[in-house]
Amino acid sequence: MHSLQRIFGFGLCRLSTTSRVSRQICSLKKMNPSRKPISSSSDYSSFTAQNPFGNESAAEETTQSSGAKIMNEKQFRCEENFPPLSVNIGSSSKGRNFNKWGKRTDSGLELRQEAVNSSEFEGITNAVSLQEEHSLLNRSRTGINSGLQSSHMTVNLSEHEDSVNVPSLQEYEHERIAKIARHSLPRHFGQKKVYPGGVVKKSEGLPVVERFNICLPGFRDIKTREVLRPGMVLLKHYISIREQSGGFYRPGYKDGAKLRLHMMCLGMNWDPQTRKYNKQHPVDNCEPPDIPLGFRLLVQRAIKDAHCLIEKESDMVNPEDILPSISPNICIANFYSIHGRLGLHQDRDESRESLRKGLSIGDSAEFLYGDEREVDQASKVLLESGDVLLFGGESRMVFHGVPSIVPFSAPEPLKSKTGLRHGRLNLTFRQF
Ligand SMILES: O=C(O)CCC(=O)C(=O)O
Ligand SMILES: [Fe+2]
């Protein structure tokens, strides 16, 4: 956390700190769950009311989709170097059974443990069709089959049965009951034993109190956390649907044009198509993950440092009047390929007081800003990896944009430590 805070230091950050931020964001999501190509055209785009950022045409997108410029998934993945969790879907973990102390069990019963692959829920990445995902998510959202134990959305294994070849719920439940029956044999009398419901039975003679769950068994109440063998722990249903959802995608407009970047939101979702903030990610309808605390602290620190600078350079008593503070509730992560760009625009979908802070990681970017939507009249500044740019107050509605990325300009150690692909990651913090 401490090193994260150092990132916001007006370009004084250490490389290791930027690595951590990009690693954090990369491990949150894949860089491109939609498997769509990153634009390779470098033309400057035109602006319309519908396309305030200036975008490429739908036709161009179609050509690219079928062309050779599509990057494969491995190229897009940043998290492959830093898998956040080992997850597993599509096959059951058949094989030997061990008790938690490492002894092989001879019961012959095979309890299949399935972890849910977070990537299955990240947009349209995987073979599971979007429709299936939506029905799964909707069922989980409405609470059907999900139990009443958590306010988070949870994944139901049974919903994957068709696609992952696991036993049906009935089979599973049958096996579970059979196992309980076997373990209830008198040879255990007098010994301390933990039952699947979490009940500890101490010794003969004491009243046996079995836990009663008003929810059907077979879901969240079956061994949600288990030591499989020494050094191997399974945390089932550990990541909520909410945490699994979202991901980078290429936003577009009603007319089919696309922005020349990939985007994902934290905290709230901002949809360039409707220009609205809402709770749901447009790809999978799930809520975006929260803004990590470390990011919030970075923002606070940057504001503080900016205020110190303003105080030093002006007679103003209260730097808040010049650059108001914010407590961000949205973080937009934009990933630009080396051909990415963003046309001149104003950030006008948030409150007027909202301040905009942007953090750059990876390749440098040319950044334009000015009072008019005129490239020729705009001023230009180079934003390098680790730089933070804040604007608010009088500059709140400044036109700004990224006309180009400086290819392969990212610090080498950053790339090798994070696996960040060529391009630039921008984190923009706003308060709605
Ligand atoms: O990438 C940048 O620095 C600009 C991003 C931006 O302006 C935005 O997300 O509104
Ligand atoms: Fe902007």
Side-chain angles (χ1 to χ4, degrees):
M1 196 64 72
H2 176 67
S3 58
L4 278 168
Q5 290 171 14
R6 286 201 300 266
I7 288 181
F8 274 24
F10 293 96
L12 298 177
C13 69
R14 288 174 16 176
L15 289 177
S16 61
T17 61
T18 49
S19 309
R20 277 169 211 224
V21 170
S22 56
R23 192 186 302 195
Q24 197 164 352
I25 195 87
C26 290
S27 65
L28 275 167
K29 298 295 157 205
K30 280 177 234 172
M31 302 307 292
N32 176 25
S34 63
R35 279 192 188 147
K36 286 189 177 167
I38 289 178
S39 163
S40 58
S41 165
S42 56
D43 296 338
Y44 212 79
S45 53
S46 57
F47 308 102
T48 65
Q50 286 75 34
N51 297 357
F53 296 151
N55 312 296
E56 64 202 45
S57 68
E60 189 180 352
E61 164 72 3
T62 314
T63 322
Q64 287 171 344
S65 299
S66 58
K69 284 170 184 150
I70 298 174
M71 296 189 186
N72 66 36
E73 192 179 359
K74 194 157 185 197
Q75 281 174 289
F76 274 115
R77 280 187 186 198
C78 173
E79 70 174 4
E80 283 185 349
N81 295 334
F82 301 96
L85 285 172
S86 171
V87 287
N88 154 40
I89 200 163
S91 62
S92 54
S93 55
K94 282 186 187 172
R96 297 177 174 187
N97 295 308
F98 297 88
N99 70 15
K100 69 171 80 174
W101 311 118
K103 287 194 184 148
R104 200 175 154 198
T105 58
D106 293 316
S107 70
L109 178 69
E110 188 181 88
L111 266 190
R112 300 176 187 192
Q113 307 287 346
E114 296 286 338
V116 176
N117 188 344
S118 61
S119 66
E120 186 171 10
F121 297 94
E122 290 178 331
I124 51 177
T125 316
N126 291 311
V128 179
S129 75
L130 194 57
Q131 209 180 339
E132 276 175 318
E133 286 178 28
H134 276 234
S135 73
L136 168 65
L137 295 172
N138 287 337
R139 275 178 285 167
S140 290
R141 272 175 181 284
T142 52
I144 299 171
N145 295 339
S146 66
L148 300 172
Q149 300 177 348
S150 168
S151 58
H152 282 292
M153 302 305 152
T154 54
V155 182
N156 284 323
L157 276 181
S158 58
E159 311 241 5
H160 288 284
E161 280 164 14
D162 291 344
S163 56
V164 299
N165 190 29
V166 295
S168 72
L169 180 61
Q170 288 83 353
E171 286 166 349
Y172 192 92
E173 181 57 8
H174 183 79
E175 286 183 338
R176 192 181 76 87
I177 291 168
K179 191 179 183 192
I180 292 171
R182 268 196 292 278
H183 283 233
S184 303
L185 291 172
R187 67 184 143 93
H188 293 299
F189 275 21
Q191 288 173 19
K192 203 170 173 179
K193 170 130 188 71
V194 180
Y195 280 74
V199 176
V200 177
K201 226 177 159 184
K202 268 201 164 163
S203 63
E204 233 173 324
L206 290 179
V208 177
V209 181
E210 286 251 24
R211 184 178 286 179
F212 179 74
N213 195 326
I214 61 165
C215 299
L216 284 170
F219 299 98
R220 302 264 311 179
D221 58 341
I222 299 179
K223 292 194 174 186
T224 55
R225 291 167 192 212
E226 192 178 357
V227 176
L228 296 180
R229 50 177 288 164
M232 189 183 276
V233 176
L234 174 66
L235 306 177
K236 285 186 72 63
H237 312 294
Y238 195 69
I239 310 170
S240 69
I241 286 282
R242 182 162 180 235
E243 289 166 309
Q244 297 168 42
S245 73
F248 280 88
Y249 74 107
R250 194 163 176 208
Y253 292 99
K254 280 189 190 126
D255 64 1
K258 298 277 185 189
L259 272 77
R260 287 180 180 272
L261 51 79
H262 284 81
M263 189 180 98
M264 74 167 283
C265 293
L266 306 174
M268 288 178 86
N269 192 72
W270 179 67
D271 185 354
Q273 193 163 328
T274 58
R275 305 207 59 134
K276 287 204 165 46
Y277 284 94
N278 48 49
K279 289 250 179 241
Q280 268 117 44
H281 190 282
V283 173
D284 61 13
N285 278 340
C286 278
E287 290 178 31
D290 289 332
I291 302 173
L293 178 65
F295 287 8
R296 292 176 191 280
L297 295 172
L298 285 169
V299 171
Q300 300 316 330
R301 186 182 164 99
I303 295 172
K304 218 168 131 198
D305 284 339
H307 283 171
C308 288
L309 188 68
I310 291 168
E311 261 176 342
K312 215 167 103 184
E313 295 208 348
S314 74
D315 297 333
M316 293 304 302
V317 195
N318 189 3
E320 276 286 337
D321 297 338
I322 305 293
L323 190 68
S325 296
I326 56 160
S327 176
N329 52 8
I330 177 159
C331 170
I332 302 176
N334 295 309
F335 184 78
Y336 301 78
S337 77
I338 55 173
H339 306 291
R341 64 171 192 240
L342 185 61
L344 280 176
H345 66 279
Q346 293 168 304
D347 294 347
R348 52 189 166 85
D349 301 329
E350 316 76 32
S351 64
R352 182 125 196 129
E353 300 73 45
S354 173
L355 173 66
R356 187 256 183 211
K357 286 166 209 65
L359 165 61
S360 288
I361 296 170
D363 287 339
S364 306
E366 289 191 311
F367 188 88
L368 295 181
Y369 61 98
D371 292 325
E372 308 293 332
R373 187 178 274 170
E374 289 296 331
V375 175
D376 295 343
Q377 292 172 26
S379 305
K380 192 190 284 184
V381 64
L382 185 71
L383 295 180
E384 295 172 283
S385 191
D387 291 355
V388 175
L389 181 71
L390 305 90
F391 54 88
E394 210 172 280
S395 295
R396 166 71 182 81
M397 297 308 273
V398 76
F399 283 95
H400 59 281
V402 177
S404 67
I405 302 296
V406 184
F408 317 120
S409 53
E412 225 19 84
L414 171 72
K415 284 188 278 183
S416 58
K417 280 186 183 174
T418 63
L420 189 68
R421 67 179 62 254
H422 294 304
R424 169 178 178 256
L425 178 65
N426 156 256
L427 300 183
T428 288
F429 295 93
R430 301 175 181 171
Q431 186 171 327
F432 180 52

